[in-house]
Amino acid sequence: MSFSYLKQLPSPDAIKEQYPLPKELADLKSKRDQMISDVITGKDDRFLVIIGPCSADNEEAVCDYVSRLAPVAEKVKDRLILIPRIYTNKPRTTGEGYKGIASQPDPEKKPDMLAGLIAMRNMHIRAIKESGLTCADEMLYPENWGYVEDLLSYVAIGARSVEDQHHRLTVSGFDVASGMKNPTSGDFTVMLNSVYAAQHPHHFVYGGYEVETTGNPLTHVVLRGAVSKHGNNVQNYHYEDIMRLIDRYQKIDLVNPAAIIDANHSNSGKKYEEQVRIVKEVMHNRRISPEIHKMIKGVMIESYIEPGAQKVGEHIYGKSITDPCLGWEASEQLIYDIAEKNI
């Protein structure tokens, strides 16, 4: 056989029983979920800022970062809702490299899936406890949902996963806001089809069970830029792109039209400092166009304590070991700038 079965992992229920979310934090999450839902559905005029490291590689640094966000979130709470990024799985274009703390709790050691599941859950719980903020994660592996479904207030489906039927059907069973990124090709049809699929009920196999879902009306799109057939980055956050998206939304049977702009990835060409300019352009377009103001509900920003990126093994505290990120000072100022412009 090509598969070597190393060990059977505990069920999500077993892991949650061993590492439970305290009731007061569960109540906090419920309130945060409703706030975010109200933004997606248009009941709340506040703006979502999904911000944090490219990948959550180190519990101490990540929880330090999230705790720094807490007082900032309090200052801007009338205009913004901050959702920290704690992305515990890292997609790899070629399959090579660090795949996130859920697979590799120590980036310099071999993968350990059980330790990874525990590390993933512990980090999210600690971040909520220390900051009072519930977080976002990317559901790279749909099977991981059960291990964190009581912890997350936002879920992203990545550009390479959005065309996959298993991801789409799994999102149809989520009860929190879920962003479907455009594929790397940039095709809006693929992205909107994924939203359509996730917003509707389905009957399928999941986690060894036959399941039914009711559909997730909070599913929406995330524009992250694209890559042309020649390998060049193509942006899709400009005024014309959003107007085209609005037109496409109007031609398909979807509820709660909403979009988040990912300021990094192909939109910035992974030039992390460009995120500041990109976010400011998005806010400008929201200000001059009522249609864009209504459609764009938030931004995604890759940010950490130290700017840039490092190689695995350099041990620079709070610096990304995957994609380069904005540093803390620039990130804090950008949040205040967003709040000032969200009028």
Side-chain angles (χ1 to χ4, degrees):
M1 293 177 64
S2 297
F3 281 84
S4 296
Y5 289 83
L6 305 178
K7 58 185 173 184
Q8 186 170 9
L9 296 173
S11 69
D13 285 344
I15 291 288
K16 286 190 286 189
E17 183 176 353
Q18 190 174 0
Y19 302 94
L21 181 69
K23 182 182 184 305
E24 64 272 17
L25 299 186
D27 292 341
L28 170 67
K29 173 180 145 50
S30 180
K31 292 176 183 176
R32 292 257 303 165
D33 290 354
Q34 188 60 54
M35 287 164 41
I36 296 166
S37 171
D38 286 346
V39 172
I40 298 297
T41 59
K43 297 176 183 177
D44 190 326
D45 287 335
R46 285 181 290 179
F47 194 69
L48 303 178
V49 178
I50 305 161
I51 184 168
C54 173
S55 60
D57 59 290
N58 178 283
E59 181 178 313
E60 290 299 323
V62 169
C63 289
D64 178 359
Y65 175 90
V66 174
S67 293
R68 295 183 190 203
L69 282 179
V72 179
E74 181 65 23
K75 291 178 184 177
V76 300
K77 66 181 181 180
D78 292 339
R79 295 188 177 186
L80 307 180
I81 298 174
L82 302 191
I83 308 173
R85 286 172 53 111
I86 296 185
Y87 280 27
T88 56
N89 294 280
K90 174 64 180 174
R92 310 305 310 204
T93 303
T94 64
E96 293 293 325
Y98 174 66
K99 296 181 176 66
I101 203 167
S103 300
Q104 238 175 311
D106 186 333
E108 297 180 64
K109 294 182 179 179
K110 292 181 179 180
D112 186 329
M113 299 302 173
L114 175 56
L117 292 174
I118 294 169
M120 173 174 66
R121 188 164 177 85
N122 277 338
M123 187 190 303
H124 274 289
I125 293 173
R126 177 179 171 184
I128 300 170
K129 182 178 180 181
E130 293 182 0
S131 71
L133 302 174
T134 49
C135 303
D137 202 344
E138 179 176 349
M139 205 50 51
L140 181 60
Y141 306 109
E143 295 82 359
N144 282 353
W145 171 244
Y147 294 98
V148 290
E149 52 87 19
D150 58 330
L151 306 178
L152 303 182
S153 284
Y154 187 94
V155 177
I157 302 300
R160 297 164 189 81
S161 302
V162 74
E163 297 188 63
D164 174 59
Q165 179 157 298
H166 191 44
H167 280 84
R168 294 176 173 191
L169 302 191
T170 303
V171 175
S172 74
F174 292 176
D175 58 356
V176 296
S178 303
M180 312 294 268
K181 291 194 173 186
N182 62 263
T184 53
S185 69
D187 191 328
F188 276 18
T189 299
V190 169
M191 175 178 62
L192 289 166
N193 283 344
S194 74
V195 175
Y196 184 94
Q199 285 193 358
H200 288 75
H202 294 284
H203 190 135
F204 60 105
V205 174
Y206 180 79
Y209 289 85
E210 181 178 2
V211 301
E212 284 186 336
T213 59
T214 58
N216 180 357
L218 301 177
T219 311
H220 55 275
V221 305
V222 178
L223 302 184
R224 50 85 73 198
V227 179
S228 74
K229 65 180 182 180
H230 301 296
N232 299 317
N233 290 303
V234 180
Q235 293 74 36
N236 60 12
Y237 61 86
H238 297 303
Y239 181 96
E240 295 79 8
D241 298 304
I242 309 307
M243 296 306 293
R244 182 164 65 93
L245 175 65
I246 292 169
D247 179 66
R248 295 296 299 276
Y249 248 117
Q250 292 171 345
K251 294 177 179 178
I252 191 169
D253 182 23
L254 295 171
V255 297
N256 304 320
I260 304 291
I261 303 298
D262 179 346
N264 212 15
H265 297 100
S266 290
N267 271 332
S268 71
K270 295 190 178 181
K271 297 176 181 178
Y272 68 94
E273 293 171 313
E274 289 293 295
Q275 293 181 98
V276 175
R277 179 190 58 78
I278 291 166
V279 168
K280 289 181 177 180
E281 179 178 326
V282 171
M283 300 309 293
H284 170 74
N285 288 335
R286 288 183 86 241
R287 190 165 65 252
I288 65 173
S289 168
E291 294 91 347
I292 291 178
H293 189 280
K294 185 177 180 181
M295 174 61 68
I296 304 300
K297 304 292 188 180
V299 290
M300 286 184 176
I301 301 164
E302 291 196 320
S303 156
Y304 212 172
I305 296 170
E306 297 294 333
Q310 63 178 319
K311 294 179 180 179
V312 173
E314 289 189 48
H315 302 294
I316 300 172
Y317 181 79
K319 192 169 188 176
S320 176
I321 62 170
T322 49
D323 290 351
C325 299
L326 278 181
W328 172 252
E329 288 78 12
S331 301
E332 182 180 16
Q333 184 58 54
L334 181 56
I335 292 170
Y336 294 138
D337 290 343
I338 296 169
E340 183 180 343
K341 291 176 172 60
N342 187 38
I343 55 176

